Amino acid sequence: MAEYTPKERLSRVLTGQPVDRMPAVCVTQTGTVEQMEACGAFWPEANYDAEKMATLAEAGHTVVGFEAVRVPFDITAEAEFFGCEIKDGTQEQQPSVIGHVVKTMEDIENLKGYDLSNGRINVVCDAIKILADKYGDELPIMGSMIGPFSLAQHINGDEWFMAIMTNEEFGLALMEFTTEFNVAYAKKMVENGADTMVIIDPTASAQLIGNEFYEKFVVPYHKKICDAMHELNVPVVLHVCGDTTLGLSLMETCGVDGISVDQNVDAATAVGNVKNAVIVGNLDPVNMLWNQTPEAIKEQSQKVVDAGIGLLAPGCGTVSKTPTVNLQAMIEVAKSHKY
């Protein structure tokens, strides 16, 4: 079988075509302190400056060895774009959303007419262009964004879960709004050079809200994003936190190409619960990748690969203190695997 570039290899895996071996990628956040020290681009500045963001993303490839580059490193830029209050991150911690801006239908209307050339949304797109100009012919350029359901929660606050159950009109209106934004943002990332899209929708879980609400408030909106990306020949990976085992078959009905599962999901069961989507994951980022030895990580990685996982990767975002050698142990197993 022919050998492929990393860009070709990942694209072929996500679109169900044969390849020479497993790609070594991470679809969730990649930044670590060791990478920051090696490349000179540190959080929190690397969350706000396109050059520094691109430099730290590049370190995932040049320092660690991932066969892709990916931005951004957090999931708060979208909420910040719409005026939510953000708690600043540190060199070791990501920023978080602490204030919300939508309570009524009128509030939703007031957020319309936004300009994607503003704020950190634009910084992420500029970073993608920097990376694409340098690596676009060889490496996958992953753009990532928070999904529409979790963005709705960021914008509305903890009232969101009650809202979808008691005020359907408001809930659907907010989902339409966030999804329209997601599609526009994703298209801008692709225009700047992204060739793979990752949706991080941590609270959009059938386990959390039940299948009925998931079908109504999540599936149609994920499908709109997938359809828009597939029109541009861009594959989509979806990550939802928690034990998504029972919801996997429902999750893939949106047409997503890959589903990233976390450490609470049994890898073999996940593979058996989908028909078409590639299962990605699912090494524990804390108890395994951060706190175990490279030898233990290789052993667990092999178990996950043997379970039939499509892409070996962390089960959630990489912990900032994760040692480089631990990530490289996972990468070694991935690169050695022939499908």
Side-chain angles (χ1 to χ4, degrees), residues 171-194:
L172 293 175
L174 188 50
M175 285 302 302
E176 289 287 350
F177 172 79
T178 56
T179 303
E180 179 185 87
F181 163 78
N182 276 127
V183 170
Y185 182 25
K187 286 181 175 179
K188 182 172 181 179
M189 285 192 271
V190 173
E191 288 171 3
N192 281 37

Side-chain angles (χ1 to χ4, degrees), residues 88-323:
D88 289 337
T90 67
Q91 182 177 310
E92 296 180 358
Q93 292 184 322
Q94 297 173 339
S96 57
V97 177
I98 58 174
H100 316 288
V101 293
V102 166
K103 290 193 177 296
T104 66
M105 296 285 278
E106 183 180 2
D107 292 336
I108 298 174
E109 289 298 317
N110 290 337
L111 293 180
K112 294 181 178 179
Y114 48 80
D115 182 354
L116 290 175
S117 64
N118 293 327
R120 277 204 289 148
I121 296 302
N122 193 53
V123 170
V124 172
C125 292
D126 285 347
I128 286 173
K129 188 174 190 314
I130 294 168
L131 292 165
D133 286 348
K134 186 169 185 176
Y135 291 108
D137 292 336
E138 176 192 0
L139 296 180
I141 311 296
M142 293 186 182
S144 177
M145 60 185 178
I146 194 170
F149 188 87
S150 300
L151 178 55
Q153 184 202 358
H154 275 177
I155 291 174
N156 185 227
D158 290 339
E159 299 172 8
W160 173 238
F161 295 103
M162 184 61 68
I164 65 172
M165 298 177 186
T166 61
N167 191 346
E168 181 175 298
E169 181 184 8
F170 172 80
L172 293 175
L174 188 50
M175 285 302 302
E176 289 287 350
F177 172 79
T178 56
T179 303
E180 179 185 87
F181 163 78
N182 276 127
V183 170
Y185 182 25
K187 286 181 175 179
K188 182 172 181 179
M189 285 192 271
V190 173
E191 288 171 3
N192 281 37
D195 53 57
T196 308
M197 190 58 53
V198 181
I199 303 171
I200 307 290
D201 217 346
T203 58
S205 171
Q207 180 194 32
L208 189 62
I209 63 175
N211 285 359
E212 179 183 348
F213 286 99
Y214 190 90
E215 279 193 272
K216 180 176 288 187
F217 286 93
V218 180
V219 172
Y221 303 100
H222 283 171
K223 186 176 187 303
K224 287 185 178 183
I225 300 170
C226 290
D227 288 350
M229 291 296 95
H230 290 161
E231 287 180 4
L232 300 173
N233 296 315
V234 173
V236 181
V237 178
L238 170 64
H239 177 82
V240 176
C241 296
D243 186 355
T244 54
T245 304
L246 297 179
L248 287 169
S249 59
L250 183 56
M251 289 168 67
E252 76 166 339
T253 62
C254 70
V256 72
D257 303 283
I259 298 176
S260 170
V261 297
D262 83 7
Q263 59 277 6
N264 293 304
V265 178
D266 177 74
T269 303
V271 172
N273 280 9
V274 298
K275 294 180 179 179
N276 299 307
V278 175
I279 296 296
V280 184
N282 66 336
L283 291 186
D284 190 320
V286 176
N287 296 319
M288 182 57 59
L289 287 170
W290 177 19
N291 287 314
Q292 284 291 344
T293 64
E295 291 72 24
I297 291 165
K298 288 180 184 179
E299 181 179 348
Q300 182 61 28
S301 294
Q302 192 60 53
K303 290 180 180 178
V304 172
V305 167
D306 291 344
I309 210 87
L311 287 170
L312 178 67
C316 198
T318 306
V319 178
S320 63
K321 290 187 175 182
T322 303

